[in-house]
Amino acid sequence: MTASGLIIFLVIGAIAGWLAGLIVRGFGFGLLGNIVVGIIGAFLAGWLLPALGVGFSLGSPIVTSIVYAMIGAIVLLVVIGLVKRA
């Protein structure tokens, strides 16, 4: 992965984490925590969704990547929130 690819990955993860924090209220970890969860969620979704055979395109590759990462971040926020409450 090139340096510019890594920066794009981090920015997409940060946007996805911020959006996931807005969607999943009550399970969030603040702005910086949600951004970190978004970056981890972007990695997980990029690996897990294609492995499950889930694939879709929303026109722009950047928008599709943000949606993938947001799905991963939402799932991760919910799982972490449920484990944290138990």
Side-chain angles (χ1 to χ4, degrees):
M1 180 178 280
T2 64
S4 61
L6 180 63
I7 290 170
I8 291 170
F9 180 78
L10 293 174
V11 169
I12 287 173
I15 292 169
W18 175 70
L19 290 172
L22 293 176
I23 293 171
V24 183
R25 296 204 181 260
F27 291 118
F29 297 101
L31 181 61
L32 291 178
N34 287 347
I35 289 172
V36 171
V37 168
I39 292 169
I40 295 169
F43 174 74
L44 290 175
W47 169 73
L48 187 61
L49 290 178
L52 294 174
V54 177
F56 56 87
S57 178
L58 299 172
S60 169
I62 297 292
V63 173
T64 304
S65 297
I66 291 172
V67 171
Y68 266 52
M70 191 174 61
I71 290 169
I74 288 170
V75 169
L76 193 58
L77 276 175
V78 169
V79 168
I80 290 172
L82 291 174
V83 169
K84 191 170 131 179
R85 288 188 184 195

